[in-house]
Amino acid sequence: MTALFPNPFVWLILTLIEIYTWVVIAAVVMSWLVAFGVINVYNSFARSVVKFLDAVTDPVFRQVRKVIPPIGGLDISPLIVLIALQFLSYLIAYYF
């Protein structure tokens, strides 16, 4: 039986990239919901989720913001991170 990714390390790396992609999407959605007042950050559970997502994604977003600052008040760093993650996953899948 031939697996799609016979190397378990490649599978692990691709899975971690996919999980981080979903974390970035969740962080963007949560930031929108907080900005529009749908989620109240005075709720302890909501505050802990927002803090977790910020702690996981902000270090990467800050590195992108150093190179590409927000354009007209629009922060495109999550989009750049998502494109980079997709490129990285295709690169790993292609060469390994």
Side-chain angles (χ1 to χ4, degrees):
M1 180 175 163
T2 304
L4 184 59
F5 299 110
N7 189 345
F9 294 113
V10 172
W11 174 84
L12 179 64
I13 291 171
L14 290 176
T15 302
L16 291 175
I17 290 172
E18 184 175 353
I19 289 171
Y20 194 74
T21 299
W22 285 108
V23 169
V24 168
I25 292 170
V28 169
V29 170
M30 286 294 284
S31 72
W32 289 344
L33 293 176
V34 169
F36 291 128
V38 176
I39 291 181
N40 187 0
V41 290
Y42 293 115
N43 182 344
S44 63
F45 177 74
R47 184 175 49 248
S48 65
V49 169
V50 169
K51 282 186 177 183
F52 168 75
L53 291 173
D54 284 344
V56 172
T57 57
D58 251 6
V60 178
F61 290 167
R62 266 188 263 125
Q63 297 299 319
V64 174
R65 286 184 198 123
K66 286 181 184 178
V67 178
I68 304 173
I71 301 170
L74 183 64
D75 185 17
I76 61 168
S77 60
L79 180 63
I80 302 297
V81 169
L82 287 174
I83 291 171
L85 287 171
Q86 288 299 311
F87 176 75
L88 185 62
S89 67
Y90 286 128
L91 189 70
I92 291 170
Y94 182 76
Y95 284 109
F96 296 104

